[in-house]
Amino acid sequence: MSKSLSDGTSVDDVDRLADPDASTDAKTASDETSRQVPSSRRGAVRTWVGEHPRAALAGAVAFALLLAVGTAYLAREPQVPDGTVAVVGEQEISTTQLDRRVEALKALYGLEEPSGTEAQDGFRRDAAKSAVVAVLIEQAADERGIEVTDKEVDTILAKLIRERYPDGGQAAFVEALGIMGANEDQVRDELRQQAVVAALFDDVTSGVEVTDDQVRETYDDRRTELATPERRELLNIVVETKAEADTVLGLLRRGRPFAQVAQTYSIDSATRSEGGLLGMASRKDLEGAYGDAAFGAEKGGLFGPVKTDTGWHVGQVQKIVPATPVTFAEVEATLRSTLETEDALSKWRSFLEDLLADADVRYHADYLPDDPESLPADVEENTP
C-alpha cells in the first residue's frame, strides 16, 4: 500500500531532507508512476540532516552516503559498455543521465565542477558512485511500496520557489535554471528522488524508542561535554617576527598599557583599533598552541609569544568565566532527541550495509572510483 504526505508529513519536513539524493533518471517509462511518501517519524533526524553542508556533491546527491559507515560497491567483469556509467543489477546508468543529475545539482545547490583534468576525473567518479547508491535506494523504496506523486512534487517545488525566489517567483526560477544549464524537469526529478529518500528513511527507522534509563545514563556519561565550557576574554597583539613579539612582551611586562602597545605594534587591523580586544572565547574556539597558552595563563596574566599562520602573538587574559554545569532537567528533552537520532542513524546504517553488501554493481572503467567501497572524503567528515 502506498503512503501519502496527507497522512502527516509536512512540506517543511520533506524540504529539510532536500540535501540528500534518492534516485537516478535510469528508470524506464513504466517506472514513472505516481509515488507517495509515508509520514515522518523522526523529526529530530530531519533537523540534523538539514544542518549539513550542501556544497559537496556526494553529500548533496545521496542522504545514504552521508549516513553510511561502509559501502560495498562491486566492480566486476564483464566490461560495462561505452556510454554507460555503471550497471546496478540489470539497471543501467547512462552518461546522459549522470550529466542531467549534475546539472540539476548545480541548479539546486550551486554545485561547481572543479577545474583541471585530474580534479574533474575524480569529480565524475564520485558522481558515478553517488548515482549508484541512489539507484539502490530507489529500488529498495519500490520494494517497500513507497511512492511519490506528481502533486506532491509540485508542492515541494512551489515551496522551494517561494523561499529562493521571493520576488521573481516562477519566472525568476526558470531564468536561473537557464543560466545554470538545467530545466524544470531535471529539478523535479531530483526533488522526487529526495522525497523517496525521506520516505525510505522514515520507513526503515520507524519504531525507534529511547528509555528513561538510557537518557539518564547518557547524561551521566556526557555531563562534562554538556556543560557550558569555560570562556575567557582576551587581548591580543599580532606582529610579524619573534623579535618584535619579544619587544612587545617586554613593554607589557614593564607596565605599558596593552591598548597603547596594540595600537602601536599590532598588524591585526580587526583588533588594533580596539586596543587588541579579541573578545570572549572558549578553548575550542582557539587555534592549538595559542589556545593552550591563553588557557594556561591566570586572570590578568600575559602569555606568548605564540606563532600561528597569521604571525607571532602576545596576549593577556582580561576575564575568566567558569564552566557552567547543566542539570538533567535542562537537557533531558535534548538528550532524548539526540539518542533517538543516533539510534535511527544506526538502524539506517545497518540497513544500508545489508543493502549494499547484496548489490551487484559494475562500473565503466572511466567512472570506476579509486576505492569503490569507501565514502568520498567530504562525506566521511560529516558522518556522525
Side-chain angles (χ1 to χ4, degrees), residues 179-371:
I179 293 173
M180 290 180 279
N183 59 53
E184 186 171 331
D185 286 342
Q186 290 170 279
V187 172
R188 288 178 60 85
D189 287 344
E190 186 69 21
L191 294 177
R192 184 189 301 277
Q193 293 159 9
Q194 293 165 3
V196 170
V197 171
L200 180 62
F201 180 85
D202 282 338
D203 199 48
V204 169
T205 62
S206 63
V208 170
E209 294 182 358
V210 174
T211 67
D212 293 341
D213 287 344
Q214 286 177 300
V215 179
R216 171 61 73 171
E217 290 173 3
T218 302
Y219 169 75
D220 292 337
D221 291 340
R222 304 182 186 180
R223 187 178 305 189
T224 300
E225 64 187 78
L226 290 170
T228 301
E230 176 184 314
R231 294 180 301 149
R232 296 187 170 206
E233 184 178 68
L234 304 174
L235 299 176
N236 188 59
I237 295 172
V238 189
V239 292
E240 294 182 347
T241 67
K242 185 176 184 302
E244 291 174 315
D246 288 335
T247 298
V248 165
L249 186 59
L251 292 172
L252 295 172
R253 285 175 173 168
R254 289 194 294 272
R256 186 78 62 88
F258 198 101
Q260 183 184 100
V261 178
Q263 291 169 355
T264 302
Y265 291 93
S266 185
I267 61 174
D268 182 5
S269 59
T271 61
R272 184 177 59 230
S273 61
E274 300 296 325
L277 180 62
L278 189 63
M280 298 294 296
S282 65
R283 174 63 187 84
K284 67 179 181 179
D285 296 328
L286 303 173
E287 187 177 337
Y290 183 86
D292 291 341
F295 275 74
E298 298 179 352
K299 180 180 177 180
L302 297 168
F303 60 90
V306 180
K307 191 178 187 307
T308 73
D309 292 339
T310 58
W312 285 87
H313 298 252
V314 174
Q316 183 176 37
V317 179
Q318 280 274 95
K319 182 190 302 183
I320 297 177
V321 179
T324 306
V326 294
T327 66
F328 178 71
E330 290 174 324
V331 297
E332 180 180 6
T334 300
L335 276 181
R336 187 178 299 277
S337 176
T338 298
L339 290 178
E340 287 177 348
T341 298
E342 291 173 356
D343 286 356
L345 296 181
S346 177
K347 191 172 183 179
W348 177 247
R349 283 192 287 267
S350 295
F351 168 78
L352 289 178
E353 288 168 358
D354 293 340
L355 179 69
L356 296 169
D358 295 333
D360 178 15
V361 179
R362 291 179 290 122
Y363 286 96
H364 187 283
D366 291 343
Y367 291 89
L368 175 65
D370 292 336
D371 186 357

